[in-house]
Amino acid sequence: MAEPTIEDYFTEDRSFAPPEEFAETALVTDRSLYEEAAADPEAFWARQARELLSWYRDFDTVLEWDLPFARWFDGGTLNVSYNCLDRHVEAGRGDKVAFWWEGEPGDTRTVTYADLLAEVQRFANVLRSLGVQRGDRVAIYMPMIPELPVAMLACTRVGAAHSVIFGGFSPDSITDRVNDAEATVVVTADGGFRKGAASALKPNVDAALEACPSVNHVVVVRRTGEDVAMVEGRDLWYHDLMAEAAEVCEPEHMAAEDLLYLLYTSGTTAKPKGIMHTTGGYLTQVAFTHRYVFDLRPDTDVYWCAADIGWVTGHSYIVYGPLTNGASSVLYEGTPDTPGRDRLWDMVERYRVTQLYTAPTAIRMFMKWGDHEPGGHDLASLRLLGTVGEPINPEAWMWYHTHIGGGRCPIVDTWWQTETGAQMVAPLPGVVATKPGSATIPLPGVFGEVVDDEGNPVERGGGYWTLTKPWPAMLRGVWGDPERYRDTYWSRFEGRYFAGDGAKIDEDGYIWFLGRVDDVMNVSGHRISTTEVESALVDHPAVAEAAVVGATDDVTGQAIVGYVIVRGGVEATADLVDELRAHVATKIGPTARPKQVLVVPDLPKTRSGKIMRRLLRDVAEGRELGDTTTLADPGIVEQIRDAAR
Ligand code: PRX
């Protein structure tokens, strides 16, 4: 048996069986799906594809696998917007609410499936009138308003691929993405509301397009009503085009392997990668996971994924999963602290939200804001909670469980990536017991192993997380760069997909993600994951959030440096710092005692909320800062430097 490669220090013994009341009525209450999928994965996914989706033509083959290139459901044809909209309306559910939308200023719109279908057909005709054809790419740069899913679905209706560019990105990022995809149309808005004010988007598009020769037209939605410059002949108002557009647009019959969308992920160094997702396999796995991981009851649930549609979480679990399954979702435009720090809890109470899906970074922020924020609201409608995006520290998990879930809601910690398209490791909440900090076990039809440096499976302990079989929603490549696809994901371990995450496996076969392997420190020859030290720091009652990096050290190779944000009311004294260092040593062992702990006002994060450890390493090692363009608030690093002086 292989030796563990990353050391495993932090032990978390708490375990929560599915709450009885929840398990009694859950969609899945036994292991039969796991057994079915293990016995014959292809037959399992074929059954899901046929049951969850409507096909114009049934597929001939389930999977063709020529490593690393997969084709799922070849011969099958379908249309994504038909699956998300028409079939629900045809079944008499046109009046069902698709989105309870709320703008940040408090304005609301209730969008039914029939409304959405009508709007999508018109906009699909608009796209056609602007010359968009099957196979073309359309870039979308919008705030979180209903026109964003409308634009995405209209692309799928005419068979064009969308590339949604997160609304927080700068003009340079837009230029790179538009040019790489050679998009012909950009859909945007004058702006959106964030943090209590209008925040303009169109000027960023204008600046970006100075260097984008492929773009013929820009469609602009009026949201904030602020003045915008319109370029004659190029720029058109959404409302003008929609007023003229024909009502009916027949959906294109797309092949299962036709491109559905591109979504760019920032590599740490090189240019962003256009991750390619295709139609039939993606929609199958997204619908399957959305239904069974969230235990969806479309008739009665009010589901809320509080992510941004600009990230893959929003693509799969705000737009495609919920709509394919005929769910009613909350869609919110703004920030969680506007007008108060209880905005989310106020909305959960008002809409009677049943499932809430958010990120650890948000949960830790809510913790920092204090128990009284959710405490002032009736959250009894919630029956399930979800988390995604990073490892969740056990303390944050327990806080979520207690203060949001009232101790009665299962928490589904879902591990996946832009590249995987859909959730991969997560509990089925009526069956699998949860442990705070573990994403539990691979979902039915997903197969993975923790391996050591040589690629040998580790049965217990830490190593690299790899996937051993193709899955329907897997990326089909990197746009325009098949070699980069092979090199990035399939070359580190032969025959295995590896996208950079460390993980450990415990005696029950549970997976504990340890962060990206670039986030593993090497202290005197011990390989320690930043996640574990962060969890130990956050475990201390004074700490709200922590980020840990390894800084070059003459003696130990790397030394552990912790940056912490303390909870409201706590004073940052030298005694506290000593106590925190000792706390880590007690929790995980003396090797992991941080050499330095710095109390800082905030941490540098990307706009999707991931801590930029690279910048913290630069600070710890006294270097000039590297690339900060994806940083949400560039001022933060200076404040941290001050704290470090
Ligand atoms: O490191 C893992 C972390 O987020 C990475 C994927 O990021 P992205 O492509 O932006 O997609 C985020 C939303 C799916 C992974 O390689 N990650 C995501 N979910 C978890 C996680 N780490 C631990 N636990 C999770 N539940």
Side-chain angles (χ1 to χ4, degrees):
M1 193 179 99
E3 284 295 309
T5 303
I6 301 173
E7 294 178 33
D8 163 13
Y9 288 111
F10 193 99
T11 335
E12 169 58 59
D13 297 327
R14 287 170 287 200
S15 167
F16 295 83
E20 221 165 276
E21 206 182 318
F22 184 93
E24 263 168 27
T25 59
L27 290 183
V28 183
T29 52
D30 61 27
R31 303 236 153 218
S32 53
L33 286 177
Y34 293 99
E35 286 158 14
E36 179 193 344
D40 189 343
E42 291 183 31
F44 167 80
W45 283 120
R47 180 170 81 82
Q48 298 305 332
R50 291 189 175 110
E51 278 182 21
L52 295 168
L53 307 186
S54 304
W55 298 77
Y56 296 121
R57 184 185 186 282
D58 192 18
F59 40 89
D60 304 315
T61 55
V62 179
L63 169 66
E64 278 163 63
W65 180 223
D66 180 10
L67 194 144
F69 298 101
R71 298 183 67 84
W72 284 87
F73 309 129
D74 250 341
T77 61
L78 73 166
N79 182 279
V80 169
S81 74
Y82 179 85
N83 274 274
C84 290
L85 304 172
D86 305 61
R87 61 176 184 156
H88 304 312
V89 176
E90 286 167 13
R93 293 192 296 270
D95 291 338
K96 186 168 170 49
V97 172
F99 291 118
W100 304 97
W101 176 79
E102 191 161 302
E104 197 187 73
D107 48 336
T108 60
R109 276 161 69 182
T110 305
V111 185
T112 66
Y113 276 88
D115 297 337
L116 203 51
L117 175 58
E119 185 120 344
V120 166
Q121 293 197 72
R122 279 181 187 274
F123 196 60
N125 285 325
V126 167
L127 290 175
R128 281 205 175 127
S129 74
L130 300 178
V132 174
Q133 294 181 358
R134 209 174 149 132
D136 289 350
R137 275 84 50 213
V138 172
I140 301 179
Y141 181 71
M142 288 175 85
M144 287 274 285
I145 54 177
E147 286 80 2
L148 169 51
V150 166
M152 295 164 76
L153 289 160
C155 288
T156 74
R157 201 159 187 95
V158 302
H162 55 70
S163 163
V164 178
I165 303 169
F166 174 57
F169 277 133
S170 61
D172 282 350
S173 309
I174 304 172
T175 305
D176 289 348
R177 286 160 175 74
V178 165
N179 285 341
D180 188 71
E182 295 175 278
T184 55
V185 168
V186 179
V187 187
T188 187
D190 48 4
F193 290 97
R194 289 186 58 77
K195 295 189 185 292
S199 159
L201 291 174
K202 176 67 165 49
N204 290 347
V205 172
D206 291 335
L209 293 194
E210 284 172 17
C212 297
S214 60
V215 174
N216 304 318
H217 289 291
V218 178
V219 180
V220 188
V221 177
R222 183 175 279 156
R223 163 64 183 139
T224 60
E226 296 200 305
D227 281 346
V228 294
M230 298 290 275
V231 175
E232 179 79 33
R234 186 193 74 180
D235 299 355
L236 303 153
W237 285 106
Y238 180 90
H239 54 262
D240 289 342
L241 294 166
M242 290 292 270
E244 301 283 303
E247 281 174 23
V248 177
C249 176
E250 289 304 325
E252 287 282 333
H253 292 207
M254 304 303 290
E257 281 297 342
D258 278 339
L259 186 66
L260 178 62
Y261 67 76
L262 298 177
L263 187 57
Y264 286 81
T265 62
S266 38
T268 35
T269 47
K271 69 167 187 156
K273 305 186 280 276
I275 300 299
M276 296 165 66
H277 283 294
T278 60
T279 306
Y282 172 81
L283 205 64
T284 298
Q285 194 177 338
V286 162
F288 171 78
T289 50
H290 181 258
R291 184 175 156 87
Y292 292 107
V293 173
F294 295 115
D295 190 55
L296 184 77
R297 242 58 68 78
D299 292 338
T300 48
D301 281 339
V302 178
Y303 161 87
W304 188 8
C305 169
D308 193 288
I309 293 177
W311 308 116
V312 74
T313 306
H315 281 57
S316 299
Y317 298 104
I318 296 178
V319 181
Y320 294 118
L323 295 176
T324 301
N325 290 332
S328 296
S329 303
V330 171
L331 183 63
Y332 172 55
E333 177 186 35
T335 52
D337 52 354
T338 309
R341 289 175 164 183
D342 63 343
R343 180 64 181 260
L344 257 56
W345 319 125
D346 177 46
M347 287 179 63
V348 167
E349 180 173 7
R350 280 189 286 114
Y351 291 97
R352 313 296 303 152
V353 172
T354 47
Q355 290 105 328
L356 178 69
Y357 191 31
T358 184
T361 177
I363 297 167
R364 289 189 302 264
M365 186 172 67
F366 300 139
M367 265 172 84
K368 187 171 72 180
W369 289 346
D371 307 346
H372 60 282
E373 298 290 357
H377 293 278
D378 176 6
L379 307 181
S381 57
L382 287 169
R383 62 183 193 85
L384 177 139
L385 302 174
T387 150
V388 59
E390 317 159 67
I392 181 163
N393 327 92
E395 280 319 293
W397 195 102
M398 288 304 300
W399 186 89
Y400 200 30
H401 171 76
T402 309
H403 294 280
I404 308 304
R408 73 183 176 277
C409 301
I411 295 181
V412 292
D413 176 356
T414 61
W415 178 89
W416 57 295
Q417 308 173 302
T418 305
E419 291 88 342
T420 70
Q423 297 164 347
M424 301 292 282
V425 182
L428 291 182
V431 187
V432 176
T434 55
K435 303 185 187 187
S438 168
T440 75
I441 59 174
L443 285 164
V446 172
F447 302 87
E449 282 172 344
V450 176
V451 299
D452 67 8
D453 280 316
E454 273 74 55
N456 305 307
V458 171
E459 280 170 31
R460 231 198 114 178
Y464 307 95
W465 176 244
T466 63
L467 297 166
T468 53
K469 281 192 202 306
W471 63 100
M474 66 190 272
L475 76 164
R476 298 302 197 267
V478 175
W479 180 250
D481 202 345
E483 276 316 304
R484 192 166 177 200
Y485 167 63
R486 195 190 285 276
D487 291 350
T488 310
Y489 303 106
W490 298 91
S491 62
R492 174 73 174 81
F493 300 108
E494 203 190 324
R496 294 170 184 270
Y497 170 91
F498 173 65
D501 279 349
K504 66 183 186 188
I505 181 162
D506 73 11
E507 62 282 6
D508 299 322
Y510 276 49
I511 312 299
W512 301 73
F513 286 96
L514 298 173
R516 314 284 303 165
V517 289
D518 0 312
D519 295 336
V520 171
M521 303 168 291
N522 194 325
V523 182
S524 308
H526 298 279
R527 302 184 67 181
I528 300 171
S529 117
T530 53
T531 297
E532 294 208 315
V533 181
E534 284 162 10
S535 285
L537 284 167
V538 176
D539 180 72
H540 190 284
V543 176
E545 183 149 18
V548 164
V549 298
T552 309
D553 186 277
D554 292 345
V555 181
T556 55
Q558 280 189 316
I560 301 178
V561 180
Y563 296 83
V564 301
I565 303 176
V566 292
R567 291 212 200 195
V570 173
E571 233 190 293
T573 59
D575 284 349
L576 176 68
V577 165
D578 289 341
E579 198 179 311
L580 293 178
R581 296 176 57 233
H583 186 73
V584 175
T586 320
K587 275 307 267 197
I588 17 191
T591 338
R593 180 195 298 270
K595 183 168 177 193
Q596 220 185 342
V597 171
L598 297 161
V599 177
V600 291
D602 214 335
L603 292 168
K605 294 206 182 123
T606 63
R607 291 166 211 264
S608 64
K610 288 192 205 306
I611 294 170
M612 292 184 76
R613 292 198 182 70
R614 182 170 53 76
L615 295 182
L616 292 173
R617 253 189 320 264
D618 288 346
V619 173
E621 296 178 348
R623 258 195 311 279
E624 283 303 302
L625 294 192
D627 183 18
T628 56
T629 50
T630 52
L631 196 60
D633 176 0
I636 282 172
V637 182
E638 275 319 308
Q639 295 171 29
I640 292 173
R641 258 200 216 287
D642 288 343
R645 272 185 195 124

